[in-house]
Amino acid sequence: MAFVHLPKPWQSLERDITPESAFFNRRRFLKSLVGVGIAGATLPLLGCQKAVPTAEELANTEDLEATQNAVFADPGRPITNEILAATYNNFYEYGSSKNIWKKAQSLQTDDWKVEVSGLVKNPATYDLDDLRKKFTLEERIYRFRCVEAWAMVVPWLGFPMNALLRAVEPTSNAKFVRFTSYFDPRITKGPSFPPGQFLPFPYTEGLRIEEMANDLAFFAVGIYGHTLPNQHGAPMRMVVPWKYGFKGAKSLVKIEFLATQPATFWNALSPNEYKFEANVEPDVPHIRWSQEKERLIGPGNQFAWQEVPTQIYNGYGEFVGGLYGKG
Ligand code: MTE
């Protein structure tokens, strides 16, 4: 396999920073801000002009009803500004920069289906209506930590992965789960690397079945009170907040229950940098940078990068420590 040299966070950070943006949080702030003229302004960026998306451009979503889960209502940090979160993304199917939100709009999510198969008693193919009817949606505000050492706080809407486990009933041979993202090279064109270099699409991720059964493991179908915009992984993605963000595969089309550990996208590309387990651990440095601190997107509506200490398991040790003999 050819090794691909991807831009690393510290190389791309400065280039990708959007210095100022507008609040866009439908449930909490939108009504007060749309129409006041800040959305759509262009702002200086390292000598260039960078367009800030308008609320309308980012509003290609529908409102979703969900009850707030009180256990995950207080993340201990302010929720990240919605426009900042929606314009600073990792989604290599649309390119290797953080600024892929516009390219991701080419994905069509009508008639979406998610196939659940492998070592389960009740294999099923769900469309989005099935998912919303079968699983009660809740809102959970989770801290989110990328392996690149940036972090945010996001109100996800969705349902716990263990609700799906109860529906499909894995057999006793099922030990791992592979999650596969949508891939169609006509739409998810990937980054424009030199010929000969390639990425192992489709993007896949994996969990041990006990990890999937943990109360924290979540499927998100929404964010900030509405359906997921494409750049966040519409229409359904994984959220495993005690692990680095790359474990959260976006735009899921397949979930397979397996007897053995599956190969996964980043781990296949660079196993020393991106472990299968990938728990947030401040004392375990990435091979090229420390993980002791993280940089919060924000505060407010600015990319000012507040630095804070990284917490073991991203602060979720009371929920997941037991999985790793540290409970
Ligand atoms: N899922 C797919 N299919 N493709 C990707 O490139 N990037 C991962 C993860 N899920 C990625 C993906 C990484 S590295 C991170 S940090 C998060 O998505 C970013 O999620 P966000 O853009 O919604 O903040």
Side-chain angles (χ1 to χ4, degrees):
M1 183 189 298
F3 186 76
V4 178
H5 292 279
L6 301 169
K8 297 305 172 207
W10 312 121
Q11 296 161 351
S12 60
L13 218 49
E14 292 300 308
R15 197 186 59 216
D16 292 325
I17 288 171
T18 306
E20 194 179 334
S21 188
F23 263 107
F24 176 60
N25 178 328
R26 183 178 310 211
R27 183 179 286 176
R28 297 182 176 81
F29 307 110
L30 180 65
K31 287 195 178 74
S32 62
L33 286 175
V34 167
V36 299
I38 47 176
T42 51
L43 298 159
L45 174 77
L46 304 174
C48 335
Q49 294 285 307
K50 182 168 178 173
V52 173
T54 62
E56 289 73 23
E57 277 176 309
L58 286 172
N60 192 12
T61 56
E62 282 166 46
D63 285 351
L64 271 185
E65 286 303 316
T67 32
Q68 181 156 71
N69 183 323
V71 179
F72 305 111
D74 178 10
R77 295 172 182 174
I79 292 177
T80 302
N81 169 297
E82 181 171 3
I83 285 191
L84 298 189
T87 52
Y88 190 80
N89 301 99
N90 275 334
F91 206 166
Y92 278 76
E93 284 88 332
Y94 302 98
S96 57
S97 88
K98 297 287 182 278
N99 190 20
I100 53 73
W101 69 269
K102 215 168 214 171
K103 285 194 182 146
Q105 305 315 311
S106 56
L107 178 68
Q108 284 300 324
T109 55
D110 299 342
D111 304 322
W112 195 269
K113 296 209 168 30
V114 184
E115 180 193 311
V116 186
S117 59
L119 302 172
V120 287
K121 291 187 192 143
N122 314 314
T125 299
Y126 297 102
D127 64 25
L128 292 179
D129 270 355
D130 297 332
L131 287 170
R132 286 184 207 160
K133 278 186 207 137
K134 198 166 176 69
F135 303 108
T136 311
L137 297 191
E138 51 183 87
E139 180 176 66
R140 294 184 178 197
I141 307 174
Y142 276 162
R143 293 180 293 279
F144 180 97
R145 170 62 151 82
C146 178
V147 71
E148 298 167 337
W150 55 268
M152 58 182 180
V153 176
V154 180
W156 301 105
L157 308 176
F159 57 94
M161 289 194 186
N162 56 32
L164 180 76
L165 287 179
R166 283 194 295 277
V168 299
E169 296 187 72
T171 69
S172 57
N173 294 331
K175 306 282 184 236
F176 289 91
V177 190
R178 172 168 52 211
F179 303 83
T180 305
S181 298
Y182 175 87
F183 179 65
D184 175 343
R186 289 167 302 177
I187 294 160
T188 51
K189 297 181 199 293
S192 44
F193 287 120
Q197 296 193 325
F198 66 94
L199 294 172
F201 288 124
Y203 194 101
T204 52
E205 257 310 331
L207 293 176
R208 282 199 282 126
I209 196 148
E210 297 81 8
E211 294 178 317
M212 183 176 179
N214 187 273
D215 275 347
L216 278 183
F218 200 63
F219 288 119
V221 295
I223 192 168
Y224 296 95
H226 52 73
T227 52
L228 288 173
N230 285 355
Q231 63 270 32
H232 279 303
M236 173 170 158
R237 69 176 286 171
M238 304 166 66
V239 184
V240 276
W242 72 99
K243 293 180 179 288
Y244 291 120
F246 70 86
K247 294 296 291 182
K250 297 176 169 183
S251 301
L252 294 175
V253 291
K254 208 186 272 183
I255 299 168
E256 295 160 280
F257 289 79
L258 308 169
T260 53
Q261 183 175 309
T264 55
F265 182 88
W266 286 108
N267 184 254
L269 268 174
S270 189
N272 293 332
E273 294 181 81
Y274 309 110
K275 308 284 182 202
F276 181 84
E277 191 168 85
N279 291 328
V280 176
E281 290 181 275
D283 297 342
V284 181
H286 182 274
I287 59 173
R288 277 173 291 109
W289 58 84
S290 162
Q291 294 290 22
E292 282 172 22
K293 296 208 170 122
E294 61 198 34
R295 305 209 276 174
L296 290 177
I297 290 184
N301 63 355
Q302 306 245 343
F303 269 107
W305 302 111
Q306 232 184 331
E307 205 172 64
V308 296
T310 304
Q311 303 177 69
I312 180 79
Y313 304 128
N314 203 18
Y316 293 109
E318 63 176 300
F319 297 94
V320 296
L323 285 170
Y324 313 104
K326 295 177 187 163

